[in-house]
Each structure stands twice: as C-alpha cells, then as structure tokens.
Amino acid sequence: MTITAIRIAGCLALATTALLAQETSAAPPPRPAQPRAPNVKSPEILPDKRVVFRLYAPKASDVSLSGEWTAQGRGPGGKLEKDASGVWSITVGPLVPDVYSYAFTVDDVHVLDPRNTLVKPGISSLSNIVEVPGDEMAYESLRDVPHGEVRIAWYSSQTLGIMRSMRVYTPPGYETGSSKYPVLYLLHGSGDDDAGWSTIGRAGLILDNLLAENRVVPMIVVMPNGSMPRSPRPETGSAARPGPGSGPGSGPGSSNVQFTAELLDNIMPYVEKHYRTVATRENRAIAGLSMGGGQTLRIGPSHLDTFAYMGVFSAGIRPESNEQFQSYAGHFFDDAAATNKMLKLFWIGVGAKDQMMRAGAGNLDELLKSHGITHEFHESEGAHTWINWRHYLHDYAQLLFR
C-alpha cells in the first residue's frame, strides 16, 4: 500500500468514527418500562349472585355505574373505588337472576365496559349486558331445546326512500317445512332499533322455550325498525328525534304517522311476499313497548280489519290526549259490541314504579272501561325496563292465535 493510500484509509476511518460518535450522541435515551395493565375481569358473577364490575382507568378521577337493576328496585349502582393499580371496582347485589343492561360513567362520559363483549345496540348510545343465571330467568335463557332463527331482512322503503332492515324470527322447522304461520309484529321503544327485541329483548329465546313447553302457537315474529330518520326542524335546522311513546302525534310529518305508512305499505307487504304467512286479520298481532306501544295505539284501533290482537307494554294515553286518541282510532269507540267481536285481545302491561308511563296506562285502562271495550290490564312490579318487557312478551305471546 502506498503512503497516499494509507493516508486516505486513515481519513476514512477517522470520518467513520466521527459519524458513529454523532449518531450515538444523537440517539434518545431509552424509555422507562411502562407498567403492564392488570388483567381485569368484568363483570364477575359470584356464587351468591353478587356481581363485581371493574374498570382499569388509572387517570380517571371519578367512575360510577348505572344498571337496569336500579330502576327495577333490585339494588343500587353508584361510585366505584380505585385501588393502587388503577382498577376501579364495585360489588352490587345479590341480584335476582335476569338479564341486565349497564354502563360506566367516567368523568361525566358514558363508557362501555371494555372487558365485556355483550353489547345492547341503540340509535343514540350503547350499553353492556350482563346475565345473572338462575331459575328465575329460565323462560328467557339459552336452553337445550329446538331453536328457530332470527335473521336480518333488508327491504326498500318507498315511504322513506331508503333501505331499511328488520329482524324476523321463524320457528323451529320453518326451513324444512311448508306450513304457513301467523305473524306478530313486535315494536321496540325510543332509542332502540330493530336489534333491540332480538338482543336484550331475547324474543327468539323466549319463543323457543315457550314452543318447547307447548305453551304457544308457532308464529313468525317481525321486529321492524320503528325509529324514523331524523329530519331537520325548519326553524332551527337541528335534528328532530323520534316521537315519545306516550301517544302518536297527528301532524303529517310526525314519526308515528310515518311509521304507520312504513308498516302497512312496506314492511307487511315484504313479509307476506317473502315468508309463509297466513295473511288474515285473525292471524296478525301487533304489540310494542313504550314508543312502540304508542305506535301500536296509533295503528291497531284504526285497523281492526288488519289486526285482531294488540299489546301495549309500558305505554298509554294522557288524559289531555283522550280526544286525539279517539279521533285517530277510527270507528273503534263507535260500537263497543262490534269492536269486541273483532278484537280478540287488547293486552296492557305496565310497572307500578314506571314513572314515565304508569299514569298514561292507567288512563287508557279507564278510557277503555268507560266505552265498554274488553281488554286486560296488568300491573307488574318494577319500572320502565326490559326486565318487565320480556315478561310481558312471555305472557302476551301465550294468548295469541288461539
């Protein structure tokens, strides 16, 4: 190697050493190891039916829990306590075996339980579901019996100009048989959509269990989406929510008027074209909870040529709305004898602690009595909850199509 080559090699070595030194000095210091999040179990159902709810939220300053059991008078919710690892927890109960919805509030924000994949859907919010097993919920539990199917059916709504979905329950043996079935149109409440009755409402399991016990006539159950799309209010441009369940409005744009057209002109024709139904009034029933009960009152009395059975769950008519109700009920109140001959069942259920609907349901009961309309009025324990509505479906379904 020449002297010149040796000098060049030395320069290159010095340059490389300098660059490596620069890179080493510019590298950021290593990050401290982050503590691993604890393995949180939530909810945890204890042998005595108490339930532990937990949430890992080390930076939160306040966490609370709300659940359906509270409205039903079965136990409290309240504040969670935080441990040294950042896990918040609360133990409630023991709870009566049943299915309950619940959610956390973290620093005033509604939060799902990230450790629980069972979720109750809705149009404006979500919540979790917890099942506390036991004999009291056998009627709604998953049992080793023949099962029907709940499927999503998509249809084109000419009333709304959009595609819409409904859930449809078909009884065990439908796919392999050729029989035709009566139909129950089952309506949900405000804030829910067509998934409500088939998820937390457990309609399919309730019907499966009743069929296994030979306590109900095999039927198709149609669970449509009764929440109408929001439309802007002309004066503000803000979105209008679907109407409440205390009785339908009469304006041309009201959600209940829209849903009447949606059910009669779109949903029912689709169902009767695509499913094996007995398309007579004696083989059609309608029922709904809360808002769906208001929709039932808007549709059923004025369409006795279409429905012979009506069920109103946790809904009613305010006294100041009596005249309005009678105006859209058609000839329902004109001749009690004729109405009672056509109406095979008018079933009303409400919870004694239902502050939203107890008075309206009681007024509906008195109004029907005053006109001599035959009906059943059932007051149960509890409040405005799915806990009651599942029981109402269980009781109502057994009276249909007899």
Side-chain angles (χ1 to χ4, degrees), residues 42 68 76 144 198 255 277 313 360 369:
S42 180
E68 268 190 305
D144 186 12
S198 62
S255 62
T277 69
F313 308 161
K369 285 180 181 176

Side-chain angles (χ1 to χ4, degrees), residues 91-283:
T91 302
V92 302
L95 296 179
V96 176
D98 215 322
V99 179
Y100 302 95
S101 62
Y102 73 93
F104 295 118
T105 300
V106 179
D107 295 337
D108 296 323
V109 178
H110 179 96
V111 174
L112 287 176
D113 186 341
R115 294 293 179 173
N116 184 358
T117 59
L118 295 178
V119 175
K120 172 191 173 295
I123 62 171
S124 57
S125 65
L126 303 174
S127 56
N128 288 104
I129 298 172
V130 58
E131 178 180 325
V132 181
D135 293 341
E136 293 88 339
M137 63 161 297
Y139 80 99
E140 60 183 343
S141 63
L142 179 60
R143 290 154 53 185
D144 186 12
V145 299
H147 289 280
E149 292 187 5
V150 176
R151 67 197 72 190
I152 300 175
W154 290 93
Y155 67 97
S156 176
S157 168
Q158 302 305 307
T159 298
L160 301 173
I162 57 176
M163 293 296 295
R164 298 273 281 178
S165 65
M166 65 180 98
R167 293 328 199 253
V168 181
Y169 167 84
T170 52
Y174 179 86
E175 292 297 329
T176 57
S178 59
S179 299
K180 293 185 176 181
Y181 297 89
V183 183
L184 165 61
Y185 291 88
L186 186 60
L187 314 180
H188 62 78
S190 178
D192 288 331
D193 58 17
D194 53 305
W197 268 114
S198 62
T199 53
I200 193 166
R202 301 177 75 102
L205 294 178
I206 291 171
L207 268 293
D208 288 341
N209 293 333
L210 285 171
L211 284 167
E213 297 167 1
N214 197 29
R215 296 169 64 186
V216 70
V217 173
M219 68 185 77
I220 293 171
V221 182
V222 177
M223 298 162 274
N225 187 348
S227 295
M228 296 292 97
R230 299 180 183 184
S231 57
R233 291 192 180 101
E235 67 275 14
T236 65
S238 62
R241 291 181 176 273
S246 58
S250 58
S254 75
S255 62
N256 285 311
V257 172
Q258 275 191 318
F259 182 71
T260 299
E262 179 74 355
L263 179 68
L264 299 177
D265 299 339
N266 297 280
I267 295 169
M268 289 179 59
Y270 179 93
V271 169
E272 293 179 358
K273 179 180 179 180
H274 292 87
Y275 295 88
R276 299 194 309 273
T277 69
V278 184
T280 64
R281 59 173 301 278
E282 294 84 3
N283 288 281

